[in-house]
Amino acid sequence: MIQGCEDPLLQTLPRQAPRVSYRLTDVASALAEPGTLAVLRFGSGGPAIDDPRLLQVALESVDSPAPMELWQVDAEVQYGMQGALRWSSGGGWLFAAIELDETEHGGPLRTAQLAYEQMHRFVGARGTQHVTRVWNYLGAINQGEDDAERYKQFCEGRARGMGSFFADGFPAATAIGHLDSAPRLQVYLLACDQPGTRVENPRQVSAWRYPRQYGRTPPSFARAMVLPAGDALAISGTAAVVGHASAHHDDLDAQLEETLVNLEALLANAHMAAGFDTRSPMKAYVRNSGDVSRVRDFLQRRLPGVPVLLLHGDICRRELLVEIDGWRYA
Ligand code: 3EB
């Protein structure tokens, strides 16, 4: 499929990064704004609106009312559905989302495999084949022991479903456990018709090289991705992992400090100036709801002015209490 009616000359210019922001407006007016590529609504509730660009994410915001996340581009946006997949595109960018019910596909491995097969087939056929960033939300992520743990099953299915599509390198990603009772896997992504540049963290072993103790199939993601024009960094889920090990088991403040050091290491390795600012929307995923106010206080103190969306969710290693992802614009 071809992009809308764009000037072919414009397509050769580096693609300007979508703007990501958190807002408390109503969904209908957010969707009506020019250039809205996606609206992410967190948790349950809110009016039912049938628009492929609106995704109801299975994670609850700790704030009420919950802010929405908007992705916007300076271009006309087209959108549609294809089977279980919803998509929108504009300005060389593609948003695509899929939600599958595990009970119909037999557990996290098969469901992840199916989701990734469908996603890469769709994305590959559209010309927006460079997947820069993926989010994965599945239920009961820490359930099961050792290789049977649901996160590890998910990792195996994801790798199978990716096949050779990501042979040149994995996208930046987040994988978090939702607390919804319905066993659904949600995967959504941002892709582009131009490639980004992967960034790893010198303080951490690359996830795809994790040793055997973390599962048969190591997690398929890059630590961050510089978007094609070099104007933004998409930062993967980042936690208190040093080398390949989790640091500061069950010590929330120490995990938060270590996570900030990891985030700064990513900026440095991407050759970006240090620090996060008012244009750097971040999400913090908090395992225990009792920790929410401490996480909020910490982030207000250490990342003043940074828009932070606090979500209740399980991190993929049991000893990790918090994980942060987000965007940093140049
Ligand atoms: C870590 O550093 C923490 O499986 O897609 C972070 C980001 C983590 C993405 C994924 C997992 C994923 O290993 C966990």
Side-chain angles (χ1 to χ4, degrees):
M1 227 178 286
I2 312 276
Q3 285 295 316
C5 39
E6 285 180 45
D7 182 342
L9 274 176
L10 278 178
Q11 291 186 22
T12 64
L13 293 173
R15 298 301 196 178
Q16 219 188 338
R19 292 178 306 282
V20 176
S21 59
Y22 303 139
R23 300 247 213 108
L24 276 166
T25 48
D26 68 292
V27 172
S29 51
L31 288 166
E33 283 181 31
T36 296
L37 193 66
V39 176
L40 308 175
R41 193 160 56 175
F42 297 91
S44 46
I49 294 175
D50 192 19
D51 186 310
R53 299 171 297 165
L54 173 63
L55 180 67
Q56 188 94 29
V57 173
L59 293 171
E60 290 287 343
S61 161
V62 307
D63 294 302
S64 185
M68 293 175 296
E69 180 175 333
L70 261 71
W71 298 2
Q72 295 179 304
V73 293
D74 288 320
E76 203 185 306
V77 171
Q78 302 175 322
Y79 48 88
M81 310 272 287
Q82 188 176 298
L85 204 144
R86 49 180 62 231
W87 61 271
S88 65
S89 69
W93 294 96
L94 174 77
F95 162 76
I98 191 165
E99 178 171 298
L100 296 177
D101 181 346
E102 282 187 29
T103 53
E104 289 172 21
H105 306 290
L109 193 158
R110 292 281 167 221
T111 310
Q113 179 174 352
L114 206 63
Y116 273 83
E117 280 168 0
Q118 292 188 31
M119 281 293 221
H120 85 65
R121 244 181 249 135
F122 179 78
V123 168
R126 281 192 65 83
T128 39
Q129 73 275 30
H130 302 285
V131 179
T132 58
R133 185 65 174 90
V134 188
W135 289 261
N136 307 276
Y137 300 129
L138 69 152
I141 197 166
N142 301 128
Q143 200 183 85
E145 296 306 314
D146 302 320
D147 287 348
E149 188 187 23
R150 284 170 48 83
Y151 171 63
K152 298 188 178 83
Q153 298 282 310
F154 160 81
C155 285
E156 201 160 331
R158 168 172 59 181
R160 285 191 202 173
M162 281 180 165
S164 58
F165 190 74
F166 292 95
D168 294 339
F170 297 120
T174 296
I176 290 288
H178 67 67
L179 306 172
D180 197 295
S181 56
R184 55 194 164 125
L185 170 67
Q186 295 187 309
V187 179
Y188 65 95
L189 60 78
L190 176 70
C192 190
D193 60 2
Q194 298 173 351
T197 306
R198 288 167 186 84
V199 176
E200 289 300 303
N201 183 343
R203 304 183 77 238
Q204 299 180 316
V205 173
S206 291
W208 68 87
R209 293 195 176 121
Y210 279 173
R212 177 65 182 85
Q213 71 201 80
Y214 299 99
R216 265 194 294 269
T217 310
S220 317
F221 69 97
R223 297 290 178 187
M225 182 81 75
V226 180
L227 300 198
D231 53 351
L233 184 69
I235 301 169
S236 292
T238 303
V241 172
V242 181
H244 59 72
S246 305
H248 321 296
H249 288 214
D250 303 319
D251 181 341
L252 179 70
D253 288 300
Q255 286 192 15
L256 282 163
E257 289 289 354
E258 201 71 69
T259 301
L260 284 194
V261 176
N262 278 331
L263 290 169
E264 286 294 348
L266 285 172
L267 294 184
N269 219 27
H271 310 293
M272 292 179 107
F276 293 86
D277 57 24
T278 54
R279 296 180 313 136
S280 310
M282 312 290 277
K283 284 202 205 70
Y285 305 90
V286 184
R287 178 185 293 279
N288 301 317
S289 43
D291 287 343
V292 163
S293 56
R294 258 167 77 211
V295 172
R296 197 198 307 274
D297 291 349
F298 178 94
L299 294 173
Q300 271 171 5
R301 196 159 19 90
R302 300 296 308 277
L303 299 177
V306 171
V308 177
L309 187 59
L310 284 160
L311 298 170
H312 190 197
D314 291 333
I315 322 305
C316 62
R317 296 184 186 183
R318 287 170 206 192
E319 64 278 10
L320 293 176
L321 303 172
V322 65
E323 184 172 307
I324 296 176
D325 70 18
W327 301 87
R328 174 46 214 283
Y329 291 83

